[in-house]
Amino acid sequence: MLVHSRGGRRAVWALFALLFLPLFALPLLVLVAASFAGHWSGALPSGPTLDHYDAAVRGESLRALTASLATAAAASALALTAGTWAALSAHALGRRARRVMDLLFMLPVAVPSVVAGLALLVAFSKPPVLLNGTRWIVILAHTVLVTAFAHQSVTAALGRLDPAYEQAAASLGARPWYVLWRVRLPLLLPSLGAAAGLCFALSMGELSATMMLYPPDWLPLPVLVFGATDRGSPFTGSALAVVLMGTTLLVLLALSRIRTKASYR
């Protein structure tokens, strides 16, 4: 820590607790408590029940969770591929060209996601590319929204790479594709894992653009959470939100283990 005195460290921890507990921990605890509540008329929930979770892991809720996982996995893979390719290509360009590339990839983040969703809805509602009313427009929207984070993560990692490894491989006669596949990409694996986790988490929680684009047969879980609370069922919505949060955390933990193994390699 930057604070070395015992009193200073205590003050920092006290400030952290003062900010973390009411802003982050307490709302999550209230959400978890509400997911088990039969009703909540006093200061604490009452009538504990598992009925909300029983409904959250079957039927429409299970299909919505599956749709969210499939969308997030596909969008993360596409975003990681496109972002990595763009970062590698821009790394070989001049400074001005890299700035232009960064600006282009950051445009979807610079505008509200509902605007990006509307743009895709207008662009792909007529032939020759008709995606409106299909799951593919949802996956495309999530890909567009998260690719910037993959691009920025890989770009930052490329800036930290030691060029001596690539130079040594090239001096031994390795061709550019071999240097890329056997030297550069393995060195980037930890950063690629982190970028994949970030893209996955952002896609799992995306709502604004999804609300404009999802078809009836492809209902992601955040839309279902919003619908439950909008219909006056906050306890059911809380259980769905906890399932969404828990599933995302499990996937991120798995990606973290892969990333740790890649770092050791």
Side-chain angles (χ1 to χ4, degrees):
M1 295 179 65
L2 297 178
V3 180
H4 300 287
S5 66
R6 181 176 299 179
R9 286 197 296 269
R10 289 178 177 174
V12 170
W13 280 112
L15 180 61
F16 171 76
L18 184 64
L19 294 176
F20 177 79
L21 289 177
L23 295 179
F24 298 99
L26 188 58
L28 289 177
L29 290 175
V30 171
L31 180 69
V32 173
S35 67
F36 291 101
H39 47 273
W40 199 332
S41 56
L44 296 175
S46 56
T49 179
L50 294 176
D51 291 345
H52 306 310
Y53 283 100
D54 185 59
V57 294
R58 63 176 61 193
E60 184 184 30
S61 301
L62 182 59
R63 290 192 296 271
L65 177 60
T66 304
S68 287
L69 287 171
T71 300
S76 300
L78 292 172
L80 195 62
T81 302
T84 302
W85 171 79
L88 291 170
S89 301
H91 191 68
L93 302 176
R95 180 177 298 179
R96 181 172 297 178
R98 286 201 299 269
R99 288 180 177 177
V100 173
M101 185 78 76
D102 290 342
L103 177 63
L104 290 176
F105 272 87
M106 290 302 295
L107 274 178
V109 183
V111 300
S113 58
V114 67
V115 176
L118 178 60
L120 292 173
L121 185 65
V122 173
F124 298 108
S125 291
K126 293 184 178 179
V129 184
L130 179 59
L131 298 179
N132 187 18
T134 68
R135 67 189 65 181
W136 307 114
I137 195 170
V138 179
I139 295 175
L140 178 61
H142 284 224
T143 302
V144 169
L145 292 172
V146 302
T147 298
F149 300 96
H151 176 263
Q152 289 298 313
S153 179
V154 177
T155 299
L158 283 171
R160 297 192 300 266
L161 282 186
D162 188 349
Y165 296 104
E166 299 174 37
Q167 293 169 0
S171 67
L172 293 174
R175 296 189 176 185
W177 67 266
Y178 187 88
V179 174
L180 173 64
W181 186 253
R182 300 291 295 177
V183 179
R184 183 177 285 187
L185 286 180
L187 291 174
L188 288 174
L189 276 179
S191 298
L192 292 176
L198 177 61
C199 292
F200 184 89
L202 291 172
S203 178
M204 286 291 286
E206 162 56 34
L207 177 63
S208 299
T210 309
M211 288 287 292
M212 300 192 65
L213 300 171
Y214 76 94
D217 61 341
W218 196 255
L219 178 69
L221 194 54
V223 178
L224 200 61
V225 174
F226 175 81
T229 55
D230 190 53
R231 292 193 303 267
S233 303
F235 300 149
T236 302
S238 297
L240 292 171
V242 172
V243 170
L244 176 64
M245 180 175 59
T247 305
T248 305
L249 287 176
L250 287 176
V251 175
L252 292 181
L253 286 175
L255 289 173
S256 177
R257 289 181 63 87
I258 297 174
R259 176 185 166 195
T260 302
K261 292 180 179 179
S263 299
Y264 281 120
R265 289 183 58 189

